[in-house]
Amino acid sequence: MTESAQLTGVVPPLVTPLTPSYDVDTASLARLIEYQLTGGVDGVFVLGTSGEGTFLTDDQRQTVLETTVAAVAGQVPVLAGVIDTSTNRVASHISTALKAGVDGLVATAPFYAATHPAEIERHFKQLSARADGLPLYAYDIPPRVGTKLPASLVTSLGEQGVIAGVKDSSGQETSLRELVLQRREKKLNGFAVMTGSEVTVDSALAFGVDGVVPGLGNVDPSGYVRLFKSAVAGDASAAREEQDRLFRLFDIIHVADRSRMGASSAALGAFKAGLYLLGVIDCPLTAYPSIALNDTEIAAVRPLLDRAGLH
Amino acid sequence: MTESAQLTGVVPPLVTPLTPSYDVDTASLARLIEYQLTGGVDGVFVLGTSGEGTFLTDDQRQTVLETTVAAVAGQVPVLAGVIDTSTNRVASHISTALKAGVDGLVATAPFYAATHPAEIERHFKQLSARADGLPLYAYDIPPRVGTKLPASLVTSLGEQGVIAGVKDSSGQETSLRELVLQRREKKLNGFAVMTGSEVTVDSALAFGVDGVVPGLGNVDPSGYVRLFKSAVAGDASAAREEQDRLFRLFDIIHVADRSRMGASSAALGAFKAGLYLLGVIDCPLTAYPSIALNDTEIAAVRPLLDRAGLH
Amino acid sequence: MTESAQLTGVVPPLVTPLTPSYDVDTASLARLIEYQLTGGVDGVFVLGTSGEGTFLTDDQRQTVLETTVAAVAGQVPVLAGVIDTSTNRVASHISTALKAGVDGLVATAPFYAATHPAEIERHFKQLSARADGLPLYAYDIPPRVGTKLPASLVTSLGEQGVIAGVKDSSGQETSLRELVLQRREKKLNGFAVMTGSEVTVDSALAFGVDGVVPGLGNVDPSGYVRLFKSAVAGDASAAREEQDRLFRLFDIIHVADRSRMGASSAALGAFKAGLYLLGVIDCPLTAYPSIALNDTEIAAVRPLLDRAGLH
Amino acid sequence: MTESAQLTGVVPPLVTPLTPSYDVDTASLARLIEYQLTGGVDGVFVLGTSGEGTFLTDDQRQTVLETTVAAVAGQVPVLAGVIDTSTNRVASHISTALKAGVDGLVATAPFYAATHPAEIERHFKQLSARADGLPLYAYDIPPRVGTKLPASLVTSLGEQGVIAGVKDSSGQETSLRELVLQRREKKLNGFAVMTGSEVTVDSALAFGVDGVVPGLGNVDPSGYVRLFKSAVAGDASAAREEQDRLFRLFDIIHVADRSRMGASSAALGAFKAGLYLLGVIDCPLTAYPSIALNDTEIAAVRPLLDRAGLH
């Protein structure tokens, strides 16, 4: 990916397939990547929230990166999540990612400790200095990090050349539109604004967002590619129809019994169950200590796949 | 610390002194420990929230542990924070801590991902299995972790021998009392309940809490030791008077301009400024990317130290 | 408004103009209504959040209703906010509204006390029984009420004929889309879904929402009418352009110094300042005890009106 | 109650007994008051949160006030809740309360709209001007009102003679201690600081709070009176023992099935069920649209009463 290539289109945040003993299942990961490339995605993003990056050891993270770079083989850009609590810890993940040969880096604000925008700015500046010229993307996911990245900070970091774009998983349409407006007003050409929301992609594309990083894209990459192409072609009606279908497919995250597991486990478990039922990965386990979907819950995903036309 | 020694008394969560170039300042750390031991503390806790553990690299964490164990030299127990996002990452810190020769381990629930109590239970069980017989303490700090540890889970883990106690930094007096009541009802002898609140220690000790892990104890260990001794001796009036003095000393965390730094930076910066002004540490810097207190703010800490009788 | 007339289009929630002595300024209210009708709005909604209904006495509420019904004179439907803490108190406002001759009623869930969906359902059923056949709309505004109306409850109340539609001011695009999908799936013909968000109207209309209840529409009714007409005509580009202009006009709510007043006062004060500067109302005062915008703040609204082409 | 009488001791916030048809049950209310006076309370507070004041019509509020003033007959002070959304609406309740002959008034900050401390200050000043010399108390209950009263505002209003004290139901021990410290530092003699927490009364009294307004005191006034007397007599051990017993009695609020009713309904329903089982009131119904405890839930309250020694 050269400097001038702006991130765009469908870039699913890949799950990390695991073996029954909680090792990285590299064969399943390679199949997942093949499934994505066949589906027509414009890039892949590993070790993000969907990739359970914060659950993996440093060695496991490295395995995921190397497996992905090898399997993708330059066909699309590979973005690597380098998510950790603070600047120096993220910097260590950046080193690993650079060695693995990825095409871009994705980092959140520091978390656990409460930070101020001025501190987040220092964080990204230091990370950018360690990135060896690779594009660095800010990842805005307030429910996980505890902080919302202000639009003015994001676009200021873009103006300074610190970050090449943002993945907005805040779910706040107003701030996403503010980002798009500021980008235009500041003439931030080449600065990528991607949404992380699975269920509002047609809207986001219509008001100027460049693409989507949908967890649900693990299960249905073709659907998101169709949605994106319809939107780009100006066929709002087809885009909305596709979005509505995917909206209902997203109901799989509500299949698991939330009295026995967390929200993250329920959502990721459903994505993995879908991929398992579709024959893409061998085992639907989520990372320890997450509770996995049981057989009944996995079976309940099937009719929702069917309804969405996935077999 | 033998199996039978229950944690009790004053166990400050030590700050990590840094050099102007953000390295661990081992000489200052040794002086801080000397200051604490002279103050009469019953233990020290390193690499917690006050210790900026989540800001440090693995190497820096190891340096802090080794320096502390050497400086304490067995005079009191050394507790090590092993805080990280998930079970396997925490387990890696446990290995380092075991090698360094600490006396106890302190872990939070997983964070970044949203977890369920059943998942938190699995987390602590796995950690306990890695602890090589050392006591493991649960650290309940909802504003940082995003989850409140239910009292019933904490005491259940105690009954199962998974954890040896809890440090409650939730600031929720009701749940702290619930813990104390459940401990009595379940006859959990030897299970330690420590409060992490600096400003309600006399109350907590009065209703049955065993001790305190006060960030402000970095600055005034003797004060907390006096408070604890008064409470144990049944002199509620002296305990309250000491608490009231420390309550006002705690105002140092409001000295910094919050429009330019986060809450964590303001509080930790004030603790370090206090220690710097008292001549205990050489440099009041907080960990990168935290904004440090400026000279004016540091100077503003002085009169509050004076008012509290610290010189 | 007959039974079959579904709410649609632009229905601004009118502010309540006040005199310098905090009385209802009926002459200014009549002028505001004239301004709205000239702008082409499809209805008006009085005594909502923008109308400061919860600040007014019962007598003042009655004055607003009577003035509005007289000034509108049947040209468009008049919706009346009947917002209060609990069922019986709302019912009393319904009686007043019925006597005044309004065309529809708008009620929130109970607030102050914490309620459950089953309790909210009882609330709306009782209100519907008191409504004398007038359409009743649910008003979903979680930041004020403390509860989010579940989509399934809203559409269930629609199926039961209890409510005729919903005004969604939750700002949560996902739940708004869920409402629209459920309406289609449940074949709830004639059930109105209106958004209360000023800044995402083109998106909402594109995915199937029927209209908008924009506070900012007080200041620029024509803009919202143009936006709505463009969207209905299928000109997404023109709709987005108009929305972008209104998005920037909405910046007026950030003009006031938030260190001296609350968020409600800043927003409403800006709407009233805009109307005052445009010569529509005589006095920009907000209801007691709200702090009013000062002269400097009012003056700062002017260039934002100019930028938006309002003179 | 003369000007010089500072509020102190146990002042339960009385529930409002209802008939099966949701009318105020004045006979049961009179018996409840008799039960309280026999229990030795120092005052009664009607139309607060426990009194479901926000659920009652103006007429019902008046009935409660008149019944209470008549039944108390001057034996202890009667405080009246005058809770409503905004200044003028509260002022109207003040008029009614003055006519009924109460001894003090209790008001929250405005709610529904978001207010700033400067606006809350204007609110209380205006209310004080309408109070005809009766003491006005600020009621701090953030979960209901959406705002926390800053300690500095509360004590400033005390210095200005606007309010005579505060009922703190924030559940935040730190801010309650801040209030007590500021009162001492500002020499605010006669300014009452009361806690609204049922389960931390011994602590609060130990650090200087004057008394308690416990919802659970409806069910066990004698228990709170014993607790208060023990604390005042300096018998911390007896106070704690009594508090521990009441802490466990408070478990009655968890008896109801929270999947079918809200938190308010579960707590108030339990208080009323307790009074019903003790023969004090005739019907345990909570105000419409609250879901009432069913027979099974009511029966489940009995063993908890028994365990606490209430028959």
Side-chain angles (χ1 to χ4, degrees), chain D residues 167-185:
Chain D
K167 179 197 170 187
D168 184 316
S169 293
S170 72
Q172 299 176 22
E173 189 186 354
T174 301
S175 71
L176 189 53
R177 294 185 81 124
E178 177 69 36
L179 271 176
V180 170
L181 279 180
Q182 285 192 19
R183 176 176 62 172
R184 188 174 69 194
E185 291 158 358

Side-chain angles (χ1 to χ4, degrees), chain D residues 229-269:
Chain D
K229 287 184 174 166
S230 296
V232 167
D235 188 346
S237 170
R240 182 184 160 198
E241 195 174 329
E242 192 66 40
Q243 179 63 85
D244 285 349
R245 187 185 61 81
L246 290 163
F247 195 104
R248 278 291 167 250
L249 176 59
F250 198 56
D251 285 343
I252 59 174
I253 71 168
H254 301 303
V255 156
D257 178 359
R258 286 293 305 283
S259 74
R260 47 184 290 275
M261 72 179 69
S264 298
S265 307
L268 287 179

Side-chain angles (χ1 to χ4, degrees), chain D residues 93-197:
Chain D
H93 299 303
I94 288 180
S95 297
T96 307
L98 292 180
K99 279 183 205 132
V102 305
D103 304 294
L105 304 163
V106 182
T108 68
F111 53 94
Y112 188 85
T115 48
H116 184 275
E119 295 168 332
I120 297 172
E121 178 166 17
R122 279 157 58 95
H123 174 70
F124 280 111
K125 282 182 172 173
Q126 182 67 24
L127 296 182
S128 175
R130 309 284 190 94
D132 203 20
L134 278 198
L136 172 66
Y137 300 94
Y139 184 5
D140 192 18
I141 184 164
R144 298 283 156 265
V145 172
T147 319
K148 173 84 185 77
L149 296 181
S152 55
L153 173 60
V154 170
T155 55
S156 166
L157 289 170
E159 290 182 294
Q160 298 174 66
V162 172
I163 60 174
V166 61
K167 179 197 170 187
D168 184 316
S169 293
S170 72
Q172 299 176 22
E173 189 186 354
T174 301
S175 71
L176 189 53
R177 294 185 81 124
E178 177 69 36
L179 271 176
V180 170
L181 279 180
Q182 285 192 19
R183 176 176 62 172
R184 188 174 69 194
E185 291 158 358
K186 293 182 171 183
K187 300 185 171 44
L188 267 179
N189 302 319
F191 187 83
V193 178
M194 306 286 283
T195 177
S197 166

